[in-house]
PDB file of all heavy atoms in Angstrom:
ATOM      1  N   THR A 146      12.479   0.697   9.368  1.00  0.00           N
ATOM      2  CA  THR A 146      11.865   0.283   8.105  1.00  0.00           C
ATOM      3  C   THR A 146      11.564   1.534   7.259  1.00  0.00           C
ATOM      4  O   THR A 146      11.330   2.614   7.809  1.00  0.00           O
ATOM      5  CB  THR A 146      10.545  -0.482   8.333  1.00  0.00           C
ATOM      6  OG1 THR A 146       9.655   0.384   9.034  1.00  0.00           O
ATOM      7  CG2 THR A 146      10.762  -1.745   9.147  1.00  0.00           C
ATOM      8  N   ALA A 147      11.604   1.374   5.945  1.00  0.00           N
ATOM      9  CA  ALA A 147      11.339   2.524   5.067  1.00  0.00           C
ATOM     10  C   ALA A 147      10.672   2.074   3.769  1.00  0.00           C
ATOM     11  O   ALA A 147      10.873   0.953   3.312  1.00  0.00           O
ATOM     12  CB  ALA A 147      12.647   3.244   4.745  1.00  0.00           C
ATOM     13  N   TRP A 148       9.851   2.975   3.209  1.00  0.00           N
ATOM     14  CA  TRP A 148       9.247   2.745   1.894  1.00  0.00           C
ATOM     15  C   TRP A 148      10.116   3.374   0.835  1.00  0.00           C
ATOM     16  O   TRP A 148      10.629   4.465   1.043  1.00  0.00           O
ATOM     17  CB  TRP A 148       7.870   3.430   1.800  1.00  0.00           C
ATOM     18  CG  TRP A 148       6.935   3.157   2.929  1.00  0.00           C
ATOM     19  CD1 TRP A 148       6.555   4.043   3.902  1.00  0.00           C
ATOM     20  CD2 TRP A 148       6.214   1.952   3.185  1.00  0.00           C
ATOM     21  NE1 TRP A 148       5.665   3.438   4.759  1.00  0.00           N
ATOM     22  CE2 TRP A 148       5.436   2.164   4.342  1.00  0.00           C
ATOM     23  CE3 TRP A 148       6.168   0.706   2.550  1.00  0.00           C
ATOM     24  CZ2 TRP A 148       4.621   1.178   4.882  1.00  0.00           C
ATOM     25  CZ3 TRP A 148       5.349  -0.271   3.086  1.00  0.00           C
ATOM     26  CH2 TRP A 148       4.593  -0.031   4.229  1.00  0.00           C
ATOM     27  N   ILE A 149      10.262   2.703  -0.300  1.00  0.00           N
ATOM     28  CA  ILE A 149      10.894   3.347  -1.461  1.00  0.00           C
ATOM     29  C   ILE A 149       9.943   3.199  -2.646  1.00  0.00           C
ATOM     30  O   ILE A 149       9.643   2.085  -3.076  1.00  0.00           O
ATOM     31  CB  ILE A 149      12.258   2.712  -1.826  1.00  0.00           C
ATOM     32  CG1 ILE A 149      13.217   2.751  -0.634  1.00  0.00           C
ATOM     33  CG2 ILE A 149      12.857   3.419  -3.027  1.00  0.00           C
ATOM     34  CD1 ILE A 149      14.624   2.207  -0.958  1.00  0.00           C
ATOM     35  N   SER A 150       9.475   4.328  -3.146  1.00  0.00           N
ATOM     36  CA  SER A 150       8.594   4.285  -4.305  1.00  0.00           C
ATOM     37  C   SER A 150       9.455   4.061  -5.553  1.00  0.00           C
ATOM     38  O   SER A 150      10.398   4.808  -5.797  1.00  0.00           O
ATOM     39  CB  SER A 150       7.834   5.610  -4.339  1.00  0.00           C
ATOM     40  OG  SER A 150       7.334   5.860  -5.587  1.00  0.00           O
ATOM     41  N   VAL A 151       9.175   2.995  -6.323  1.00  0.00           N
ATOM     42  CA  VAL A 151      10.040   2.671  -7.471  1.00  0.00           C
ATOM     43  C   VAL A 151       9.372   2.922  -8.815  1.00  0.00           C
ATOM     44  O   VAL A 151      10.044   3.087  -9.829  1.00  0.00           O
ATOM     45  CB  VAL A 151      10.568   1.213  -7.428  1.00  0.00           C
ATOM     46  CG1 VAL A 151      11.335   0.969  -6.141  1.00  0.00           C
ATOM     47  CG2 VAL A 151       9.471   0.182  -7.610  1.00  0.00           C
ATOM     48  N   MET A 152       8.045   2.892  -8.831  1.00  0.00           N
ATOM     49  CA  MET A 152       7.348   3.246 -10.064  1.00  0.00           C
ATOM     50  C   MET A 152       6.015   3.889  -9.697  1.00  0.00           C
ATOM     51  O   MET A 152       5.529   3.720  -8.580  1.00  0.00           O
ATOM     52  CB  MET A 152       7.157   2.036 -10.992  1.00  0.00           C
ATOM     53  CG  MET A 152       6.511   0.807 -10.390  1.00  0.00           C
ATOM     54  SD  MET A 152       4.697   0.737 -10.529  1.00  0.00           S
ATOM     55  CE  MET A 152       4.446   0.705 -12.276  1.00  0.00           C
ATOM     56  N   ARG A 153       5.449   4.659 -10.634  1.00  0.00           N
ATOM     57  CA  ARG A 153       4.175   5.331 -10.375  1.00  0.00           C
ATOM     58  C   ARG A 153       3.188   4.983 -11.474  1.00  0.00           C
ATOM     59  O   ARG A 153       3.570   4.647 -12.577  1.00  0.00           O
ATOM     60  CB  ARG A 153       4.363   6.860 -10.327  1.00  0.00           C
ATOM     61  CG  ARG A 153       5.360   7.316  -9.291  1.00  0.00           C
ATOM     62  CD  ARG A 153       5.525   8.825  -9.312  1.00  0.00           C
ATOM     63  NE  ARG A 153       4.349   9.517  -8.798  1.00  0.00           N
ATOM     64  CZ  ARG A 153       4.091   9.729  -7.515  1.00  0.00           C
ATOM     65  NH1 ARG A 153       4.944   9.297  -6.595  1.00  0.00           N
ATOM     66  NH2 ARG A 153       3.009  10.376  -7.141  1.00  0.00           N
ATOM     67  N   GLY A 154       1.909   5.092 -11.152  1.00  0.00           N
ATOM     68  CA  GLY A 154       0.858   4.926 -12.143  1.00  0.00           C
ATOM     69  C   GLY A 154       0.556   3.462 -12.428  1.00  0.00           C
ATOM     70  O   GLY A 154       1.182   2.556 -11.873  1.00  0.00           O
ATOM     71  N   CYS A 155      -0.425   3.239 -13.307  1.00  0.00           N
ATOM     72  CA  CYS A 155      -0.817   1.875 -13.662  1.00  0.00           C
ATOM     73  C   CYS A 155      -1.444   1.863 -15.047  1.00  0.00           C
ATOM     74  O   CYS A 155      -2.264   2.718 -15.373  1.00  0.00           O
ATOM     75  CB  CYS A 155      -1.819   1.338 -12.637  1.00  0.00           C
ATOM     76  SG  CYS A 155      -2.245  -0.377 -12.967  1.00  0.00           S
ATOM     77  N   ASP A 156      -1.017   0.892 -15.868  1.00  0.00           N
ATOM     78  CA  ASP A 156      -1.561   0.761 -17.229  1.00  0.00           C
ATOM     79  C   ASP A 156      -2.497  -0.434 -17.360  1.00  0.00           C
ATOM     80  O   ASP A 156      -2.858  -0.816 -18.469  1.00  0.00           O
ATOM     81  CB  ASP A 156      -0.413   0.564 -18.236  1.00  0.00           C
ATOM     82  CG  ASP A 156       0.367   1.847 -18.458  1.00  0.00           C
ATOM     83  OD1 ASP A 156      -0.057   2.897 -17.940  1.00  0.00           O
ATOM     84  OD2 ASP A 156       1.396   1.794 -19.154  1.00  0.00           O
ATOM     85  N   LYS A 157      -2.859  -1.060 -16.260  1.00  0.00           N
ATOM     86  CA  LYS A 157      -3.626  -2.308 -16.351  1.00  0.00           C
ATOM     87  C   LYS A 157      -5.100  -2.082 -16.673  1.00  0.00           C
ATOM     88  O   LYS A 157      -5.747  -2.934 -17.269  1.00  0.00           O
ATOM     89  CB  LYS A 157      -3.493  -3.100 -15.045  1.00  0.00           C
ATOM     90  CG  LYS A 157      -2.112  -3.660 -14.819  1.00  0.00           C
ATOM     91  CD  LYS A 157      -1.866  -4.834 -15.764  1.00  0.00           C
ATOM     92  CE  LYS A 157      -0.475  -5.375 -15.584  1.00  0.00           C
ATOM     93  NZ  LYS A 157       0.034  -6.061 -16.746  1.00  0.00           N
TER      94      LYS A 157
END
Side-chain angles (χ1 to χ4, degrees):
T146 60
W148 310 109
I149 303 183
S150 160
V151 302
M152 53 91 62
R153 302 179 71 83
C155 184
D156 287 353
K157 291 287 178 204

